[in-house]
Amino acid sequence: MSGPDYAWWHGIYEVAKSFYMEFIPELKKVAGEQMANELMEKYVYTQPGHLWLKEGMTKEQLQKIEEFYRSRYGEQSGDKK
């Protein structure tokens, strides 16, 4: 259970999924859109790892990610031609 794949998929992935897909929508529901935005600005967007949620990603950033996965897993990763 301490293998890297297990730690990733049953660790950080589930944390991120819960944070972005459950916690943030619940925050907006409970606190209201304006208060949620204020809290996100103060506590979330001050962390560089969360800025993509606010600002999105540039084409260059997306291309870098795609190149990484292609080099790691080959052309078959996600390609449907």
Side-chain angles (χ1 to χ4, degrees):
M1 285 192 190
S2 63
D5 60 333
Y6 191 88
W8 174 257
W9 289 112
H10 297 285
I12 193 65
Y13 169 78
E14 290 180 10
V15 170
K17 181 180 171 193
S18 294
F19 182 78
Y20 293 115
M21 303 308 220
E22 296 171 21
F23 175 76
I24 291 175
E26 187 70 15
L27 172 67
K28 290 178 180 180
K29 182 178 166 184
V30 172
E33 196 75 29
Q34 183 177 350
M35 177 60 82
N37 288 337
E38 291 174 20
L39 291 168
M40 294 287 288
E41 286 292 334
K42 185 173 182 179
Y43 296 107
V44 177
Y45 298 139
T46 54
Q47 305 298 314
H50 295 291
L51 285 178
W52 67 269
L53 183 62
K54 179 181 179 184
E55 300 172 356
M57 296 181 85
T58 65
K59 286 185 179 183
E60 291 81 20
Q61 289 171 317
L62 292 171
Q63 185 176 12
K64 233 177 164 177
I65 292 168
E66 182 179 353
E67 288 171 2
F68 167 78
Y69 284 108
R70 285 186 190 277
S71 70
R72 183 167 182 155
Y73 300 109
E75 290 297 318
Q76 75 277 7
S77 58
D79 283 355
K80 293 181 180 177
K81 292 182 181 182

